[in-house]
Amino acid sequence: SFPGQFFLMLMIQLGGLGVLTFTVLVGRLVISGLSRNSEIGEVMLQAIDHDVKKRDEIHTVYEILKSILKISLFLESIGALILLSLLPESIPDGVNRYFLSIFTSVSAFNNAGFSILNDMSFILKDIGSIYTIVVLVVLGGIGFPVIIFFEKIFLEILKEVSGKFEVWGETHLMSRAIKGEE
């Protein structure tokens, strides 16, 4: 039934968040136990954009938990939207496409390994849906600090590219203005 499936999805989500939270908090405790000046600890604090000079452990743990929740929900939402757009029309009758894509995204990201359908053979030839599920499984499995690291790298690249594009645009406009074209 739908209420049972919805409850199952919530339990998968809470279980996945619990595992991520436990792993990160144990890692945080190990890192803080290694050394107060540990470079790994500094990197982790910078990953959550936490002021390194503030060493309030409760606030740090709260920020880590908030980041885990935001990243998990964001990636699952993106996965659900992609699945919704890619799922083939051959979905069995009586199955809501929206809920199927959300449930599948949550299940894949949290590595639950099952679906609300008995048979997922309708996506066997839909390579986009399969790759989306695989990417969600991998992202859910690599862990929060790695996702944060990749996010920071992506944002730095985006910042660099946009800066170069801005310089190119300004140079182009100035050269046209000097030539009297505009």
Side-chain angles (χ1 to χ4, degrees):
S1 70
F2 177 75
Q5 293 170 350
F6 188 78
F7 181 73
L8 183 61
M9 183 181 69
L10 288 178
M11 292 299 107
I12 291 170
Q13 182 69 44
L14 289 175
L17 288 174
V19 168
L20 277 172
T21 302
F22 179 75
T23 304
V24 169
L25 293 180
V26 166
R28 176 74 181 129
L29 291 174
V30 167
I31 288 169
S32 65
L34 290 175
S35 168
R36 281 291 190 207
N37 298 321
S38 172
E39 285 185 36
I40 299 171
E42 302 300 324
V43 167
M44 188 172 194
L45 290 172
Q46 289 173 358
I48 60 170
D49 295 328
H50 184 67
D51 187 3
V52 177
K53 292 178 180 139
K54 287 188 198 171
R55 296 242 182 221
D56 182 7
E57 289 295 319
I58 300 289
H59 184 70
T60 301
V61 169
Y62 174 72
E63 290 297 319
I64 291 171
L65 294 175
K66 196 166 71 170
S67 293
I68 289 172
L69 183 63
K70 283 193 294 190
I71 288 171
S72 296
L73 292 177
F74 175 75
L75 291 174
E76 290 167 351
S77 299
I78 295 297
L81 288 172
I82 293 170
L83 281 174
L84 181 63
S85 68
L86 294 178
L87 282 176
E89 296 299 322
S90 60
I91 291 176
D93 291 337
V95 177
N96 185 330
R97 291 178 65 82
Y98 300 101
F99 186 69
L100 176 63
S101 63
I102 293 169
F103 189 96
T104 304
S105 179
V106 170
S107 176
F109 185 77
N110 292 294
N111 295 311
F114 60 94
S115 178
I116 58 175
L117 300 175
N118 292 333
D119 184 14
M120 291 285 285
S121 63
F122 66 93
I123 65 166
L124 280 178
K125 295 184 181 175
D126 183 30
I127 198 77
S129 295
I130 292 171
Y131 279 141
T132 302
I133 292 170
V134 167
V135 167
L136 285 168
V137 168
V138 169
L139 287 174
I142 61 174
F144 166 74
V146 177
I147 292 172
I148 290 287
F149 180 71
F150 284 137
E151 176 193 23
K152 292 235 176 247
I153 288 174
F154 175 74
L155 291 176
E156 286 296 320
I157 290 170
L158 188 64
K159 182 179 172 184
E160 186 176 317
V161 168
S162 66
K164 287 182 180 182
F165 183 71
E166 181 181 1
V167 168
W168 176 83
E170 288 176 359
T171 304
H172 178 71
L173 289 175
M174 288 181 76
S175 68
R176 288 183 65 181
I178 290 172
K179 292 177 184 176
E181 295 176 8
E182 279 191 30

